[in-house]
Amino acid sequence: AQTVTQSQPEMSVQEAETVTLSCTYDTSESDYYLFWYKQPPSRQMILVIRQEAYKQQNATENRFSVNFQKAAKSFSLKISDSQLGDAAMYFCAYNTGANSKLTFGKGITLSVRP
Amino acid sequence: DAGVIQSPRHEVTEMGQEVTLRCKPISGHNSLFWYRQTMMRGLELLIYFNNNVPIDDSGMPEDRFSAKMPNASFSTLKIQPSEPRDSAVYFCASSQGGKGQPQHFGDGTRLSIL
């Protein structure tokens, strides 16, 4: 069974600094997809970034980028120039199979200090 | 474009009552997912549909829970009879289906059973 592990329950970052959120996963598949979702206090679940396992290039979306280490089964999210609006819970998720079913980690709460 | 629409946004009712949560997926999406989120258990997948057909309902906690998708633009999650332990935020999400497609979430329904 696939599992997604986010071992850090909480992290804090100073505004304008960079922070990295960790995620590891366990799978025997070779073709899969990884996602980061953001859940602010408003409770919306917002897609942040997506990575295809067959692509070596790390995905980037503006201030958000990933460090995808396939051999280590690691998928961390880097947030550059942190802003107050980045304060939220962040979930790592994994997808394989013939459908878009996701397996989520337990999430990490990020706070941003002004 | 309209996102996933859930109603009601909040629901407060007494235990033993029937509760019906509603979801309208994004037009053109053929996969629909129902999740439950609690502090203790995190985000749990309850059931998902592909082309209006339930594919995996292994996450449905017990017979008091039922879900239907009578057409491509509407789904319901029903709890009868409701219990205080059903109190949670319930999310509906949709995707285009197929491996790697991201899920798009509604704003969720906060359910409180007194």
Side-chain angles (χ1 to χ4, degrees):
Chain A
Q2 294 87 18
T3 58
V4 178
T5 303
Q6 295 180 254
S7 56
Q8 306 153 303
E10 297 178 351
M11 284 197 75
S12 180
V13 63
Q14 188 75 36
E15 192 176 7
E17 297 292 308
T18 295
V19 64
T20 298
L21 311 182
S22 301
C23 173
T24 59
Y25 57 94
D26 184 22
T27 183
S28 57
E29 302 285 335
S30 59
D31 184 18
Y32 51 88
Y33 297 77
L34 297 160
F35 303 84
W36 278 98
Y37 280 84
K38 170 185 176 182
Q39 187 177 38
S42 64
R43 84 168 182 245
Q44 292 173 295
M45 288 284 285
I46 302 164
L47 176 66
V48 175
I49 203 163
R50 170 179 176 270
Q51 172 80 43
E52 296 105 329
Y54 62 85
K55 284 189 177 179
Q56 292 187 335
Q57 186 174 7
N58 289 325
T60 299
E61 287 287 344
N62 301 314
R63 296 184 296 108
F64 298 86
S65 62
V66 301
N67 183 6
F68 174 48
Q69 302 289 328
K70 191 171 184 178
K73 297 180 182 176
S74 170
F75 181 62
S76 58
L77 176 69
K78 186 171 83 170
I79 307 174
S80 303
D81 186 24
S82 298
Q83 300 175 1
L84 296 178
D86 295 334
M89 195 152 189
Y90 287 83
F91 292 91
C92 179
Y94 166 95
N95 163 247
T96 186
N99 54 63
S100 50
K101 178 180 174 182
L102 293 175
T103 300
F104 283 91
K106 291 189 179 300
I108 177 172
T109 300
L110 176 68
S111 58
V112 181
R113 303 186 302 275
Chain B
D1 288 344
V4 176
I5 299 172
Q6 290 187 246
S7 64
R9 186 149 170 83
H10 304 277
E11 174 89 9
V12 181
T13 192
E14 293 185 348
M15 65 177 293
Q17 297 297 308
E18 178 179 290
V19 173
T20 300
L21 310 181
R22 296 173 176 79
C23 176
K24 177 178 169 55
I26 292 172
S27 178
H29 283 191
N30 59 5
S31 293
L32 183 140
F33 305 80
W34 282 102
Y35 292 89
R36 178 173 68 177
Q37 186 179 35
T38 60
M39 289 291 290
M40 291 295 293
R41 301 174 69 91
L43 199 59
E44 303 173 275
L45 176 65
L46 300 177
I47 185 171
Y48 79 92
F49 296 82
N50 221 33
N51 295 317
N52 313 338
V53 176
I55 302 300
D56 182 356
D57 65 354
S58 59
M60 296 286 263
E62 47 197 278
D63 291 346
R64 298 184 297 104
F65 285 69
S66 63
K68 293 183 180 179
M69 191 163 186
N71 57 62
S73 59
F74 184 65
S75 177
T76 59
L77 178 67
K78 187 173 292 186
I79 308 172
Q80 166 64 21
S82 58
E83 297 182 4
R85 61 192 168 118
D86 302 331
S87 297
V89 178
Y90 291 80
F91 286 100
C92 175
S94 71
S95 77
Q96 291 182 326
K99 187 187 283 190
Q101 292 297 322
Q103 293 182 18
H104 299 268
F105 285 74
D107 289 344
T109 295
R110 180 175 295 280
L111 177 64
S112 297
I113 308 296
L114 307 176

